[in-house]
Amino acid sequence: MKIKNIVILFVALALGLSASLYVFLQNGSAEKITRISSTHSQHPVSVDSTKCIAKKEFMHANHMQVLREWQQAPVTAGDRIYIAPNGSKFMKSLDTCLGCHKNNRLFCFNCHVYANVKPTCWNCHLSPSETP
Amino acid sequence: MMNEERRTFIKKTGLGVLACLGAASGLMTLIPETSLEKTVLPAWDEVTLPGNIRLGMLIDTRKCKKDCHLCITACHHAHNVPDFSHSKDKVTWIEKSTYKKVFPTASHQLQNKEITERSYLSLCNHCAESPCTRVCPTGATFQRWDGIVAIDYHRCIGCRVCMAACPYGSISFNWQDPRTAIHEPTTAYPTREQGVVEKCNFCSDRLVKNQLPACVEACPENVMTFGDLNDPRSDIRILLESNETVQRKPELGTKPSLFYII
């Protein structure tokens, strides 16, 4: 009888602890996009195109979502700096990507032509084939 | 017998729950709140609250030379503004006009000839109570945290309601494809497409690079002073205090951020 009671007591303790600490679970996740607004005149970030912001496979599948967020956050919220999970900072700008990817003039077009996708980016922005 | 067992069980679970509640509350107080927040580098966490900054410009029209168009060419080159020859297609971010056109509600009776013949720069006033941002149905025209009235060209549907709302005529519409009329394109700024409005953005693209607006930088006479109107120690506020200035159509209550020394 006594052992049974002790077991129940420990189970209750564990349940109670996990319930009370559940709220902090979110803080442990590392792969969240950190958003920090910077004032325009104090901390400028130059465009860094020396490395990719994420893995190739991730960008293959999600570049549209990344670009959509990068299109909106800097303009409306003044949220210009993207901090990658490994801590490196990037300017949320199409120029960050094109700074390196424009070296291949068909970079965007190869896939978009194959997939018959017609994004409207190049109505205003300069595409890799147009940049000198 | 049975009852007694149940009694002890309830007693012990009750004690257990109390113990873990106590432990949890102890843990909560032990962990300082700051350690649960995301780490931010101290230099980056200065988030500007809306209303704390109000960027504005002071134009000293006494110094402005009539035949000089350096500010206009610099601005239009820096932002790929198309140059359509036909006046109906005209797109401008900054232009020079007459006293009557820039200050139509000011008194023109027996006005000094020198003043009426001078040319006056007109650009977006970046009003604190901007009518264009109120009417925009998609939120494409909006007021930024630093007081700049900006247009998100991705969101603009080309309804031109902002053009009708603007009492200063500062907004232009792209009736034609602007790319056909850009003579010296720059790669530093995108173009616009046919069917969106555009106007001066107070060089928000240059401000993030710690540069002054293109027109301010291009002016050889230092006609324009750019700065924060909410900062009493800024150059613009010091000049505003020591000079007599006017705004365009102040009676409308739009609170323009552009001031003129006549």
Side-chain angles (χ1 to χ4, degrees), chain B residues 21-257:
Chain B
L21 277 177
S25 63
L27 271 177
M28 295 267 263
T29 48
L30 276 177
I31 302 166
E33 241 174 60
T34 46
S35 70
L36 298 169
E37 281 169 9
K38 283 195 193 75
T39 315
V40 280
L41 292 170
W44 303 86
D45 63 5
E46 290 165 287
V47 180
T48 320
L49 298 168
N52 281 0
I53 292 184
R54 183 184 162 200
L55 295 174
M57 195 186 271
L58 176 67
I59 298 169
D60 191 346
T61 57
R62 297 170 301 186
K63 291 192 212 161
C64 187
K65 296 234 167 89
K66 202 167 185 181
D67 304 319
C68 172
H69 296 277
L70 285 173
C71 53
I72 300 170
T73 43
C75 167
H76 287 189
H77 171 68
H79 298 106
N80 283 326
V81 179
D83 179 26
F84 289 112
S85 51
H86 198 281
S87 65
K88 278 192 171 177
D89 301 323
K90 204 171 157 192
V91 176
T92 54
W93 282 31
I94 174 170
E95 58 182 335
K96 275 191 165 184
S97 310
T98 57
Y99 183 72
K100 256 192 171 170
K101 278 189 177 168
V102 178
F103 300 100
T105 54
S107 170
H108 301 286
Q109 210 174 36
L110 303 174
Q111 182 60 273
N112 180 350
K113 204 181 170 193
E114 197 266 320
I115 284 177
T116 48
E117 281 182 355
R118 229 184 263 164
S119 63
Y120 296 85
L121 280 173
S122 68
L123 56 147
C124 174
N125 281 281
H126 297 277
C127 311
E129 298 284 343
S130 45
C132 54
T133 56
R134 293 198 180 189
V135 295
C136 181
T138 61
T141 312
F142 64 101
Q143 198 162 34
R144 292 180 5 146
W145 66 97
D146 51 6
I148 293 179
V149 176
I151 297 177
D152 185 351
Y153 303 114
H154 300 114
R155 286 195 183 194
C156 179
I157 55 167
C159 67
R160 285 150 53 220
V161 182
C162 54
M163 292 174 74
C166 178
Y168 308 102
S170 303
I171 310 173
S172 310
F173 184 69
N174 281 294
W175 292 98
Q176 295 179 32
D177 184 9
R179 284 204 173 179
T180 57
I182 301 167
H183 304 309
E184 288 169 40
T186 169
T187 52
Y189 197 77
T191 67
R192 267 69 55 198
E193 63 178 322
Q194 187 178 20
V196 298
V197 294
E198 61 179 278
K199 68 164 191 69
C200 160
N201 64 352
F202 251 6
C203 281
S204 50
D205 54 307
R206 288 169 61 87
L207 293 175
V208 290
K209 299 180 206 157
N210 256 358
Q211 292 173 318
L212 276 173
C215 55
V216 180
E217 210 175 76
C219 183
E221 306 285 328
N222 283 329
V223 167
M224 287 157 276
T225 313
F226 184 79
D228 182 7
L229 293 169
N230 285 354
D231 180 7
R233 285 168 299 166
S234 61
D235 286 357
I236 187 168
R237 279 288 294 274
I238 291 161
L239 277 173
L240 278 168
E241 267 161 40
S242 55
N243 288 285
E244 198 181 323
T245 54
V246 290
Q247 288 166 297
R248 294 177 69 187
K249 299 186 186 174
E251 67 278 6
L252 295 177
T254 55
K255 294 184 185 139
S257 300

Side-chain angles (χ1 to χ4, degrees), chain A residues 36-102:
Chain A
I36 297 153
S37 299
S38 78
T39 58
H40 54 269
S41 55
Q42 285 170 346
H43 315 291
V45 167
S46 52
V47 171
D48 175 17
S49 304
T50 50
K51 47 191 184 277
C52 271
I53 62 153
K55 275 183 185 158
K56 196 178 175 180
E57 293 74 29
F58 177 82
M59 290 309 284
H60 263 304
N62 297 296
H63 66 279
M64 7 14 202
Q65 281 86 352
V66 171
L67 288 173
R68 175 50 65 94
E69 184 176 328
W70 282 24
Q71 174 202 90
Q72 287 167 353
V75 180
T76 51
D79 195 1
R80 285 186 180 267
I81 291 113
Y82 169 71
I83 299 178
N86 64 6
S88 43
K89 291 185 204 111
F90 296 97
M91 184 93 142
K92 284 187 185 175
S93 165
L94 192 63
D95 293 343
T96 303
C97 306
L98 291 184
C100 175
H101 286 304
K102 75 178 175 191

